[in-house]
Amino acid sequence: MTITGLITGSLRRLLLPLFALALTAMPALASTEVEGARIWPAPDHTRLVFDTRSPVEHTIFSLENPSRLVIDLKDASLKARLDQLDLKGSPVRRIRSAARNGDDLRVVLDLSKDIKPRSFQLEPNQQYGHRLVIDLIEEDRESLSDMTRPIVREDTGGKRDVIVVIDAGHGGEDPGAIGPSGTREKDVVLALARRLEKLIDSKPGYEARLTRTGDYFIDLRRRTLLARKHKADLFVSVHADAFHSPQPRGASVFALSQRGATSETARWLARSENRSDLIGGEGGVTLGDKDDVLAGVLLDLSMTASINASVGVGDYILKKLGNVTRLHKSGVEQAAFVVLKSPDIPSILVEAGFISNPQEERNLLSSAHQNKVAQAVFEGIDEYFNNVPPPGTLLAWQKRQKGGTAVSEYRVQRGDTLSAVARRNQVSVEAIKRVNGLTNDVVMVGQTLQIPSS
């Protein structure tokens, strides 16, 4: 053996006992820490979120008399100050915590009422790391659809308003995209939604509803359900786009794709609770007494009409947006967004701009720019519904009074096609050709077309 080997072996024999002694002297470390906590009260539930250093194994169970929720986290320790959480507006009266079984953590929520708990974990995103989410669902609270305020108007002789449901994307624990300077999409789109709500409510014949009025999250399917409960004539989801590089910019409008429509039709046919529901609102068609073939045909017809109307109103909005901001794409795009999958409600998603672009981030934070975008969206909605008012509405009555039931006029603009004009106005190409005496589908910029009522 070499001298070097003898020295190394001697050092190893000397150091190993010291290393073992150091290990026994060190306190046992929990495998993860609860580093932070947040609470998000919403109208019908409260969301409690724990920031954890890594995924954590956990169990929850409820106790009665008094009402409590117990949360056990395995191999975890508490670093956050739970006593500093603002519990106002939630069913939580107090939060207690203590070590359990040496390495575990127990958190106890003292509640003012019984709740239905739900828990799940979230992967890291732009703003947060690993998270454990506890939802406290208050089943005896008013549902979100009941939280809206009635709008008092002058008597319109029984003629109803056009109902527009505005959906501010993301919210609560879901910040959405985050801009270069830290602007959160959820805040920008809620501000835009409120401005749009005010504009819609200020116009006789319209009524706006918001899916969320504060900083809390609503499930995507729940948003479309709210639109149905409100008997919406139009659903508008407001977002701010993002990309991994700062160059892309411009506003966009999306409608549902045919692929998304096909998957949603299959989902509706598969779920029994949907079969007994109506398509087409009050006085529409119930699927409960139809066989699969007929129900599928009815759903396809309803979904196709909904998509055509969505693209139609989207065209109007996109043209108005082009007057106040740059457009990312010149036409209405189509994708399988979950919030657009209402089979009987025209639904669009408006991307107000790229929050990942520094200039557009500044624009989206500007009150003046927000007003311009909201005004453009409303003008597009108003122009569409004045052209194609839903039956029984004040707008439909006003159009009849003006003699507008037979035809209206439209001046062809650059980029228009006859099929696009027909789709926006919810009439057939053949009907437009017949009224205008056209023998082919060619139209010229500046040409005035007579548009028959749908």
Side-chain angles (χ1 to χ4, degrees):
M1 181 177 289
T2 64
I3 295 175
T4 304
L6 287 171
I7 294 173
T8 305
S10 299
L11 286 173
R12 186 184 299 113
R13 285 193 296 274
L14 286 171
L15 293 174
L16 280 175
L18 294 174
F19 182 67
L21 180 63
L23 283 177
T24 58
M26 290 174 62
L29 293 177
S31 63
T32 192
E33 286 183 334
V34 177
E35 300 175 324
R38 292 173 299 285
I39 192 165
W40 308 96
D44 62 348
H45 75 281
T46 294
R47 174 162 289 185
L48 177 64
V49 182
F50 295 123
D51 292 316
T52 59
R53 184 169 292 176
S54 60
V56 60
E57 187 179 335
H58 73 283
T59 58
I60 61 173
F61 59 92
S62 299
L63 297 172
E64 298 178 348
N65 300 318
S67 297
R68 287 154 290 163
L69 181 68
V70 180
I71 309 163
D72 284 335
L73 291 78
K74 187 175 179 59
D75 294 331
S77 62
L78 182 63
K79 186 178 178 182
R81 291 290 305 272
L82 300 182
D83 59 340
Q84 294 183 347
L85 291 175
D86 183 3
L87 306 178
K88 184 174 60 177
S90 80
V92 183
R93 294 191 294 107
R94 183 177 58 159
I95 303 180
R96 297 178 282 129
S97 63
R100 179 175 179 270
N101 297 335
D103 297 329
D104 301 340
L105 172 65
R106 169 164 284 184
V107 178
V108 179
L109 310 183
D110 293 324
L111 304 169
S112 60
K113 60 173 71 174
D114 291 338
I115 56 90
K116 179 181 178 181
R118 176 181 62 185
S119 68
F120 55 93
Q121 298 192 64
L122 292 174
E123 294 292 324
N125 62 16
Q126 281 183 282
Q127 187 168 5
Y128 302 115
H130 292 279
R131 288 154 290 162
L132 171 63
V133 178
I134 312 294
D135 279 343
L136 314 175
I137 301 167
E138 302 173 64
E139 293 182 307
D140 62 340
R141 289 273 300 266
E142 293 178 294
S143 68
L144 289 175
S145 61
D146 296 329
M147 299 298 290
T148 52
R149 73 282 177 274
I151 298 177
V152 180
R153 300 185 183 279
E154 295 181 3
D155 178 43
T156 57
K159 303 167 188 66
R160 71 174 183 87
D161 289 339
V162 170
I163 307 296
V164 181
V165 171
I166 310 163
D167 173 50
H170 309 282
E173 191 61 18
D174 177 14
I178 298 176
S181 67
T183 304
R184 300 179 301 186
E185 180 183 0
K186 67 174 184 177
D187 300 326
V188 167
V189 298
L190 181 59
L192 270 170
R194 284 172 169 159
R195 294 179 191 277
L196 181 57
E197 178 196 27
K198 288 181 180 178
L199 287 170
I200 291 172
D201 281 345
S202 68
K203 182 74 177 285
Y206 288 95
E207 184 175 335
R209 303 288 196 188
L210 294 177
T211 57
R212 70 177 177 98
T213 57
D215 190 11
Y216 49 84
F217 182 76
I218 303 173
D219 181 82
L220 297 179
R221 290 284 180 185
R222 177 73 169 147
R223 296 169 194 249
T224 60
L225 180 61
L226 285 172
R228 290 182 59 77
K229 288 189 173 180
H230 287 311
K231 299 180 175 62
D233 296 290
L234 177 66
F235 177 84
V236 181
S237 191
V238 185
H239 289 256
D241 217 336
F243 198 65
H244 56 76
S245 70
Q247 285 78 26
R249 56 185 301 188
S252 306
V253 177
F254 286 85
L256 183 64
S257 67
Q258 192 56 51
R259 178 171 57 85
T262 301
S263 65
E264 190 65 10
T265 297
R267 180 180 180 274
W268 265 66
L269 289 173
R271 295 176 66 92
S272 58
E273 62 267 34
N274 288 334
R275 297 295 293 267
S276 61
D277 212 340
L278 290 174
I279 56 173
E282 287 187 0
V285 179
T286 178
L287 304 178
D289 57 347
K290 309 296 189 297
D291 62 34
D292 287 349
V293 174
L294 180 54
V297 170
L298 292 172
L299 269 176
D300 283 340
L301 289 171
S302 181
M303 192 70 83
T304 299
S306 177
I307 291 175
N308 287 341
S310 302
V311 174
V313 68
D315 279 338
Y316 279 95
I317 291 173
L318 203 59
K319 281 184 169 59
K320 297 296 182 181
L321 282 172
N323 296 330
V324 300
T325 189
R326 180 172 178 168
L327 297 180
H328 184 60
K329 293 287 181 65
S330 59
V332 176
E333 300 176 75
Q334 293 183 257
F337 290 117
V338 173
V339 291
L340 301 180
K341 292 185 175 183
S342 290
D344 56 347
I345 302 171
S347 303
I348 60 168
L349 187 147
V350 177
E351 297 278 10
F354 276 81
I355 202 170
S356 52
N357 179 283
Q359 180 58 53
E360 293 209 337
E361 180 189 25
R362 289 190 289 271
N363 290 344
L364 290 168
L365 280 171
S366 162
S367 296
H369 184 77
Q370 287 182 6
N371 283 332
K372 289 179 181 178
V373 171
Q375 183 68 42
V377 173
F378 173 61
E379 286 177 1
I381 292 171
D382 186 42
E383 191 168 313
Y384 172 80
F385 279 119
N386 272 287
N387 194 32
V388 191
T393 60
L394 178 64
L395 296 184
W397 178 82
Q398 289 173 336
K399 185 173 182 179
R400 286 197 302 271
Q401 294 300 107
K402 295 175 182 177
T405 48
V407 293
S408 58
E409 289 187 347
Y410 177 76
R411 185 177 294 276
V412 177
Q413 301 178 35
R414 186 176 300 277
D416 276 340
T417 63
L418 194 61
S419 61
V421 173
R423 186 172 56 208
R424 282 201 301 270
N425 292 277
Q426 293 189 316
V427 297
S428 68
V429 171
E430 290 304 317
I432 295 179
K433 289 169 65 176
R434 184 170 56 252
V435 169
N436 291 273
L438 301 177
T439 58
N440 56 47
D441 293 354
V442 177
V443 291
M444 306 294 291
V445 175
Q447 179 181 356
T448 298
L449 296 176
Q450 302 295 314
I451 309 297
S453 296
S454 59

